[in-house]
Amino acid sequence: MNIILKVSGKFFDEENVNNLLILKESVKELINHGFRVGIVTGGGNVARRYIKMAREVGVGEAYLDLLGIWASRLNAYLVMFTLQDMAYMHVPQSLEEFIEAWSHGKVVVTGGFQPGQSTAAVAALVAEASSSKILINATNVDGVYERDPRIYADAKLLPRLTTSDLRKILEISQSVQAGTYELLDPLAIKIVERSKIKVIVMNYRRLNKIINIINGEEISSVIEPV
Amino acid sequence: MNIILKVSGKFFDEENVNNLLILKESVKELINHGFRVGIVTGGGNVARRYIKMAREVGVGEAYLDLLGIWASRLNAYLVMFTLQDMAYMHVPQSLEEFIEAWSHGKVVVTGGFQPGQSTAAVAALVAEASSSKILINATNVDGVYERDPRIYADAKLLPRLTTSDLRKILEISQSVQAGTYELLDPLAIKIVERSKIKVIVMNYRRLNKIINIINGEEISSVIEPV
Amino acid sequence: MNIILKVSGKFFDEENVNNLLILKESVKELINHGFRVGIVTGGGNVARRYIKMAREVGVGEAYLDLLGIWASRLNAYLVMFTLQDMAYMHVPQSLEEFIEAWSHGKVVVTGGFQPGQSTAAVAALVAEASSSKILINATNVDGVYERDPRIYADAKLLPRLTTSDLRKILEISQSVQAGTYELLDPLAIKIVERSKIKVIVMNYRRLNKIINIINGEEISSVIEPV
Amino acid sequence: MNIILKVSGKFFDEENVNNLLILKESVKELINHGFRVGIVTGGGNVARRYIKMAREVGVGEAYLDLLGIWASRLNAYLVMFTLQDMAYMHVPQSLEEFIEAWSHGKVVVTGGFQPGQSTAAVAALVAEASSSKILINATNVDGVYERDPRIYADAKLLPRLTTSDLRKILEISQSVQAGTYELLDPLAIKIVERSKIKVIVMNYRRLNKIINIINGEEISSVIEPV
Amino acid sequence: MNIILKVSGKFFDEENVNNLLILKESVKELINHGFRVGIVTGGGNVARRYIKMAREVGVGEAYLDLLGIWASRLNAYLVMFTLQDMAYMHVPQSLEEFIEAWSHGKVVVTGGFQPGQSTAAVAALVAEASSSKILINATNVDGVYERDPRIYADAKLLPRLTTSDLRKILEISQSVQAGTYELLDPLAIKIVERSKIKVIVMNYRRLNKIINIINGEEISSVIEPV
Amino acid sequence: MNIILKVSGKFFDEENVNNLLILKESVKELINHGFRVGIVTGGGNVARRYIKMAREVGVGEAYLDLLGIWASRLNAYLVMFTLQDMAYMHVPQSLEEFIEAWSHGKVVVTGGFQPGQSTAAVAALVAEASSSKILINATNVDGVYERDPRIYADAKLLPRLTTSDLRKILEISQSVQAGTYELLDPLAIKIVERSKIKVIVMNYRRLNKIINIINGEEISSVIEPV
Ligand SMILES: Nc1ncnc2c1ncn2[C@@H]1O[C@H](COP(=O)(O)OP(=O)(O)OP(=O)(O)O)[C@@H](O)[C@H]1O
Ligand SMILES: Nc1ncnc2c1ncn2[C@@H]1O[C@H](COP(=O)(O)OP(=O)(O)OP(=O)(O)O)[C@@H](O)[C@H]1O
Ligand SMILES: Nc1ncnc2c1ncn2[C@@H]1O[C@H](COP(=O)(O)OP(=O)(O)OP(=O)(O)O)[C@@H](O)[C@H]1O
Ligand SMILES: Nc1ncnc2c1ncn2[C@@H]1O[C@H](COP(=O)(O)OP(=O)(O)OP(=O)(O)O)[C@@H](O)[C@H]1O
Ligand SMILES: Nc1ncnc2c1ncn2[C@@H]1O[C@H](COP(=O)(O)OP(=O)(O)OP(=O)(O)O)[C@@H](O)[C@H]1O
Ligand SMILES: [Co+2]
Ligand SMILES: [Co+2]
Ligand SMILES: [Co+2]
Ligand SMILES: [Co+2]
Ligand SMILES: [Co+2]
Ligand SMILES: [Co+2]
Ligand SMILES: [Mg+2]
Ligand SMILES: [Mg+2]
């Protein structure tokens, strides 16, 4: 049984050592429960700051995305070094490299792959290529809400929804910042749909309860591909 | 002045030596007119046949796409070897490899990059990374039509349109085969929009008139990014 | 116990799904009987068609061979993706890359390596480097005949012969098309001789009886190195 | 005439767009004056923060250094993308990769290479391999002082000194934090001595006067190898 | 339990087949006693001869060191091919490549990494990155002596010493040939100190007693990091 | 006009600095006369000694050849470093790597490629891939003789011969040491024949007269492909 864990860039922005220790424990837990684990890390603040600097000196879009990708890879190195012997010691830079790394039977950690797509799309591609049936998206909110919870404090959490529900919600909740996708971008949704991958959105502060979350016994949102 | 030329997989299906010779001449023409040229090749029938075989033995979606990518790379090798000294002798396998290859000042030829995206998306990414302001899509029809011209013989060619026009047309004309994008997929459109790249759709039988087409003096469709 | 299986390009020309399924089963069989398996794929029709096109536009010999090599690699990807978890997920492009891939303890699939040599030579090199004592050549005839069986319908199958017998037979049967070696080229023969590798030529339609063939209980030709 | 410019990690900590623009101009200036330029970037605060996090979760010394190296590479990407067409588009990860990249005749930008050595040592190695006779160390102070100027506000700047003077100064001025070398570490000094490379320490705020500094007409310290 | 074995270049100068056979046996012994083994090979006479030739035609210091590194890699290939299936079949060319190779669970053999450092420094870096607590330095003398035993036949062997003792001894015993470090160079000492790695210096003629030497039951010098 | 120069391993066995200086001058001469130059180096004594040691400890044929290849690469590094800025700074390890390196417009230096073939075959492959019409084989005798000149002091030099003459001579002159080809092996002859490459065999002591030799004004043997 294979599983992919996407860790939001916000996880690293907190510079919280406890976060890292819980992540390490949750990977051990998953392995003990018979899972093979792949991890995808977001870029977070370091990504945003480097992109901002570069944009101001006139660097083009493809290269701005690449700076974000390199920042996400820095986070991947941090996670990989934290996992040490559990991990295969190479951060793949494309899906083809991931597939080769995945052959080794250890945890593989990756950041971004390519301009024009989010690290959530990377996570979906990696889930598909590893025949994972579950993709866990660990972020700074408890799951998918009807509306962006950072803006609408009273937004309601959706424990279960479909990818087509999600499409509608993201259209509304993110309409203000056109083009900046959060949670899942269109490529990510297309991939999880075509390969029937269940997505669980959860709070990374609950990573210590990851088995419960997979079993549906803890707060989270489960997105069924349709 | 940099320019990207996307050659449809259908070009190679014809196994027409003349096609290759005209392509070579058109590249020389472009270079003589001061362009640096990048080329992206589609997969065509070889791609479709290998995907079909693999699907029937139960190979997963990511790997089906990779077979199509390797077929498109075979076409890239054919073009690269035909161009010989004009080309940098490496077919890049990701945008990062393309960027390094592009540093060499010669023609770079590439096939597909990643599952989940078309070679038209590759062409858009490559155009963006090379600061090309024009992306030429050479295919087996004369340009963009109101409706798919293979199905509706009377469909009207659109000499000028915007990317947002194109989005609507593709939704209608391709609705039957949901998920299979032709001409440009959503990622390709997103990229040409964000980096203001003009797309020209033309018939590859007119590659000998490529300069006229760039100058707007020959049958084709010009798609303005908006 | 290590074993190399060379699959003729003709196997892929048939675009026969059953072929692929039987190949997969035969690899499982071999593994169950304690073999570690390496596979080398020929180029077939796709190779010939691309070489023909390229030759007509004036591409040089080294590059024609490379097109054939890339076609054989496309076949290698098809086989590797069909085997999925049984295979190490990288198609080596040289003997040195093969040796590294072989370290991983899984099936390794490779196409051609270098201009100037056949994929049978690749198979011999790969057999030698993996200390395999048997090289199986699965093709579209039942074994080695006194004369080319496609031309002389009454040619007699040779159940046992030596490499020096083979040299003579190939000299006669292939004299018309000088330089085009079938079955084994001189490099392949040199390698199997110097490393004492037994070659079994068999029909790929009998891959489901591969263990019997290894045990000498089925139609095939066994070539002893001398 | 080849020259290497080492940019302190502190340059990037300021997140100052003007810094980047002046750096870009100074590279153009150097090229216009007939120099071929190599650039080495330090790691700065991002390096220190990732190392701190990783140390607290028990990551070993080699891997802490690697995190610092990856942070310095992120800075290298920022500089390389800012220089765009002036640069060869690959950040080398070892001296051997640098040497290959340097063959291309463009600016090469690199971060760290290996645990156990500073980016100043990288700069010295890169200067030696490129036959540069000058290595410029652009940092946040005006040059080498008798004592650490951040601690002793009245420390005197040394306009000229030898590497053996520097050894003594660094022993004293940095004795408190044994093992953490600033400006130049022992490997850097050994390399510039054995290959007779002159080191100029200058303030990166004066990069717009880089030609004057090379000509000895501006505030800086010149360190002669002995 | 991981362990690194550094084999002096002098070992290969003897062109003694017995040396190689005993080395192979000692690796088996270590594995049987539960160790995972890494090996670093020196350059020896081949290195010195190539460096001498190159120096006389005016090749620079960085490239002289690289010739020595390539000679040491030739020795690494000899050892790796001798170990055959026990080894991972790739000679890493940098610490990052070593780390990836080490993930494979087999013996990894490496020569030099970078100009400006000895293969003893490589051994220390590799010991640190593999969390080895013991680094064995197998050379042509019985251990560390008060003075260079090749010059002073009556020099006394030191069964136990600290890295700070060693620093003083090397300063004296090697003062004549300033800059040419034997046994351990400053980087090697720095690394073993910071990561608390015990170094055992022994004669490679005693490799057949390697377990006794690790247990302190045979002639050798044990250097404690302080 | 492209040209390939194969330098016998014996050239390096002499450890003669003058040899290297004359080689460097001859490359400059060729460049000044409008040639682009590729160089292939033999393995010589170092190859033979490492192969001998390895054979005695039971290393297999493929790996013995690889040791010879690595020795020839060591010679390639020596030549490449001697040529410095004239050369592209990478020693290719396969024909595909050579082709990419050759795109850079500089001298490319290579050693062996693959077990089972001589460095003369490498030189022929490299000549073909670079569209060279001349391949110069610089060795320790003055050209091709009727019989091996080391054995028969009175053997007569053949100023002109064809590849089919050469085949016969090599069969006779080398019959005693079956399987060990000198000058050209069968693959080398096949390649120069199919691509119509003229081979000139000359003494490397005359490299200072290389232009005269190309013009047929100096002692050498010219082998016409037929
Ligand atoms: N309907 C919604 N439900 C839940 N979260 C939402 C919704 N709409 C927007 N969001 C926002 O999505 C964010 C989580 O997205 P994600 O973890 O992908 O972060 P990110 O900023 O894209 O990080 P990175 O790409 O670096 O990993 C939340 O912080 C939340 O504010
Ligand atoms: N509105 C339209 N206008 C023009 N062509 C259309 C339209 N709708 C569908 N098509 C089809 O798009 C095809 C061209 O697409 P394209 O060249 O990208 O082919 P493809 O099959 O995607 O090949 P590849 O991906 O291998 O390059 C035409 O053959 C045409 O039939
Ligand atoms: N004698 C001295 N003269 C000048 N600077 C000194 C001296 N002693 C210590 N320093 C310190 O050295 C610092 C510059 O070192 P450097 O630019 O190498 O920074 P760094 O921290 O090593 O950055 P990085 O490694 O990320 O590039 C100055 O900020 C200064 O305070
Ligand atoms: N105090 C000392 N105690 C022991 N050996 C010493 C001492 N001082 C100098 N040496 C010399 O160090 C040598 C061993 O060093 P080492 O094994 O590193 O050899 P090397 O020539 O550096 O080989 P390589 O770098 O190729 O591995 C011995 O031959 C010895 O003569
Ligand atoms: N008929 C012949 N004419 C000339 N040389 C011959 C002939 N037969 C054998 N030889 C031998 O070929 C040798 C030259 O071959 P070559 O330069 O290829 O050497 P090599 O040993 O193969 O070296 P390497 O493979 O390391 O480059 C000469 O030393 C010569 O003795
Ligand atoms: Co590539
Ligand atoms: Co591996
Ligand atoms: Co690199
Ligand atoms: Co490597
Ligand atoms: Co290479
Ligand atoms: Co290049
Ligand atoms: Mg996101
Ligand atoms: Mg040493």
Side-chain angles (χ1 to χ4, degrees), chain A residues 120 133-139 142-145 157-170 182-185 188-193 195-202 213 220-226:
Chain A
K133 287 299 156 208
I134 306 176
L135 162 54
I136 296 184
N137 193 330
T139 183
D142 286 346
V144 182
Y145 291 78
L157 179 79
L158 300 169
R160 300 192 74 83
L161 66 165
T162 65
T163 45
S164 91
D165 297 336
L166 182 68
R167 263 205 195 82
K168 282 171 213 141
I169 288 167
L170 292 182
E182 286 177 312
L183 293 175
L184 296 183
D185 69 2
I189 297 180
K190 171 184 154 188
I191 299 292
V192 300
E193 284 183 347
S195 289
K196 302 286 168 238
I197 298 161
K198 187 166 80 178
V199 180
I200 302 177
V201 179
M202 62 170 283
I213 280 177
S220 72
S221 296
V222 177
I223 308 170
E224 294 289 347
V226 288

Side-chain angles (χ1 to χ4, degrees), chain E:
Chain E
M1 236 171 9
N2 300 336
I3 196 164
I4 301 303
L5 177 56
K6 197 251 158 177
V7 182
S8 169
K10 294 170 177 69
F11 175 91
F12 302 95
D13 297 346
E14 303 187 355
E15 303 198 11
N16 182 334
V17 169
N18 219 35
N19 273 354
L20 276 172
L21 292 174
I22 292 177
L23 174 57
K24 188 175 182 175
E25 283 314 303
S26 71
V27 172
K28 278 192 203 160
E29 269 285 284
L30 286 168
I31 291 171
N32 289 342
H33 283 75
F35 287 99
R36 273 202 61 209
V37 184
I39 298 177
V40 180
T41 55
N45 256 328
V46 176
R48 271 181 288 276
R49 281 166 35 216
Y50 275 78
I51 289 171
K52 183 167 172 295
M53 271 192 275
R55 174 167 279 129
E56 292 184 41
V57 296
V59 169
E61 292 292 325
Y63 297 93
L64 298 179
D65 279 3
L66 280 171
L67 281 172
I69 287 169
W70 280 107
S72 69
R73 286 174 184 160
L74 183 58
N75 290 331
Y77 280 102
L78 178 59
V79 172
M80 186 174 80
F81 294 158
T82 300
L83 295 178
Q84 205 52 27
D85 282 354
M86 281 185 280
Y88 179 68
M89 282 284 135
H90 181 69
V91 171
Q93 298 183 6
S94 67
L95 190 71
E96 291 179 83
E97 277 194 37
F98 170 82
I99 289 169
E100 184 170 352
W102 188 253
S103 288
H104 290 84
K106 296 189 160 189
V107 177
V108 177
V109 188
T110 177
F113 282 163
Q114 199 192 60
Q117 72 194 194
S118 68
T119 49
V122 170
L125 286 162
V126 151
E128 185 180 69
S130 61
S131 307
S132 297
K133 287 297 155 210
I134 304 176
L135 162 54
I136 295 184
N137 193 332
T139 184
N140 67 338
V141 292
D142 286 345
V144 183
Y145 290 78
E146 288 165 327
R147 302 190 294 181
D148 187 338
R150 280 175 310 190
I151 304 174
Y152 304 93
D154 63 343
K156 261 181 44 192
L157 179 79
L158 302 169
R160 301 193 73 82
L161 66 164
T162 64
T163 45
S164 90
D165 296 336
L166 182 66
R167 262 205 195 83
K168 282 171 215 142
I169 288 167
L170 293 182
E171 251 166 56
I172 302 163
S173 72
Q174 304 187 335
S175 56
V176 277
Q177 59 235 92
T180 329
Y181 295 97
E182 287 178 310
L183 293 175
L184 296 183
D185 70 1
L187 176 55
I189 298 181
K190 171 184 153 189
I191 299 291
V192 301
E193 283 183 346
R194 80 175 183 182
S195 289
K196 303 283 168 242
I197 298 162
K198 187 167 79 178
V199 180
I200 302 176
V201 179
M202 62 171 281
N203 199 313
Y204 49 69
R205 285 178 199 82
R206 283 197 188 80
L207 276 171
N208 55 338
K209 304 194 177 163
I210 193 148
I211 300 295
N212 300 340
I213 280 177
I214 290 170
N215 292 336
E217 303 159 3
E218 262 290 334
I219 295 170
S220 70
S221 295
V222 178
I223 309 169
E224 294 288 346
V226 289

Side-chain angles (χ1 to χ4, degrees), chain D residues 136-209:
Chain D
I136 296 184
N137 193 332
T139 184
N140 68 337
V141 293
D142 288 345
V144 182
Y145 290 78
E146 287 166 328
R147 302 189 293 181
D148 187 338
R150 279 177 311 189
I151 304 174
Y152 305 92
D154 62 342
K156 261 183 42 193
L157 179 80
L158 301 169
R160 300 194 72 82
L161 65 165
T162 65
T163 45
S164 91
D165 297 336
L166 182 66
R167 264 206 194 82
K168 283 171 215 143
I169 289 167
L170 292 183
E171 250 166 56
I172 303 162
S173 72
Q174 304 187 336
S175 58
V176 278
Q177 60 233 93
T180 331
Y181 295 96
E182 286 178 311
L183 292 174
L184 295 183
D185 69 2
L187 176 55
I189 297 180
K190 171 184 153 189
I191 299 291
V192 300
E193 283 182 347
R194 80 175 184 182
S195 288
K196 303 284 167 241
I197 297 161
K198 186 167 80 178
V199 180
I200 302 176
V201 179
M202 61 170 283
N203 198 314
Y204 48 69
R205 285 179 198 83
R206 281 196 190 82
L207 276 171
N208 55 337
K209 303 194 177 162

Side-chain angles (χ1 to χ4, degrees), chain B residues 55-212:
Chain B
R55 175 167 277 129
E56 293 184 40
V57 295
V59 169
E61 292 292 325
Y63 298 93
L64 298 179
D65 279 4
L66 280 172
L67 281 173
I69 288 169
W70 279 108
S72 69
R73 286 175 184 159
L74 183 58
N75 290 331
Y77 280 102
L78 178 59
V79 171
M80 186 175 81
F81 294 158
T82 299
L83 295 179
Q84 205 53 28
D85 283 354
M86 281 185 279
Y88 179 68
M89 282 285 135
H90 181 69
V91 170
Q93 297 183 6
S94 66
L95 191 72
E96 292 179 82
E97 277 194 37
F98 170 82
I99 288 169
E100 184 170 351
W102 188 253
S103 287
H104 290 84
K106 294 189 161 190
V107 177
V108 177
V109 188
T110 175
F113 281 164
Q114 199 193 61
Q117 72 193 194
S118 68
T119 50
V122 170
L125 286 161
V126 151
E128 185 181 69
S130 61
S131 307
S132 297
K133 287 299 155 209
I134 305 176
L135 163 53
I136 295 184
N137 193 332
T139 183
N140 67 338
V141 292
D142 287 345
V144 182
Y145 291 77
E146 287 165 328
R147 301 189 293 181
D148 187 337
R150 279 176 310 189
I151 304 174
Y152 303 94
D154 62 342
K156 263 181 42 193
L157 179 80
L158 300 170
R160 301 193 73 83
L161 66 164
T162 65
T163 44
S164 91
D165 297 336
L166 182 66
R167 263 205 195 82
K168 283 171 214 141
I169 289 167
L170 293 182
E171 250 165 56
I172 303 164
S173 71
Q174 304 187 335
S175 57
V176 277
Q177 57 233 94
T180 329
Y181 295 97
E182 286 178 310
L183 292 175
L184 295 184
D185 70 0
L187 175 55
I189 297 180
K190 173 184 152 188
I191 298 292
V192 301
E193 284 182 348
R194 80 175 185 182
S195 288
K196 303 284 168 240
I197 297 162
K198 186 166 81 179
V199 180
I200 302 177
V201 179
M202 62 170 284
N203 198 313
Y204 49 68
R205 286 179 199 81
R206 283 198 188 79
L207 276 172
N208 56 337
K209 302 194 177 164
I210 193 148
I211 300 296
N212 299 340

Side-chain angles (χ1 to χ4, degrees), chain F residues 6-11 13 40-45 47-48 72 75 118-120 137-151 155-158 166 169-170 173-174 177 180-184 201 204:
Chain F
K6 197 250 158 179
V7 183
S8 169
K10 295 170 176 67
F11 176 91
D13 296 346
V40 180
T41 55
N45 257 330
R48 271 180 289 276
S72 69
N75 289 331
S118 68
T119 49
N137 194 331
T139 183
N140 67 338
V141 293
D142 287 346
V144 182
Y145 291 78
E146 287 166 326
R147 301 190 294 180
D148 187 339
R150 279 176 312 190
I151 304 174
K156 261 181 44 192
L157 180 78
L158 301 169
L166 181 66
I169 289 168
L170 293 182
S173 71
Q174 304 187 338
Q177 58 232 96
T180 329
Y181 294 97
E182 286 178 311
L183 292 175
L184 295 184
V201 179
Y204 49 69

Side-chain angles (χ1 to χ4, degrees), chain C residues 171-188:
Chain C
E171 251 165 55
I172 303 163
S173 72
Q174 304 187 338
S175 56
V176 277
Q177 57 233 94
T180 329
Y181 294 97
E182 287 177 309
L183 290 175
L184 295 183
D185 68 1
L187 176 55

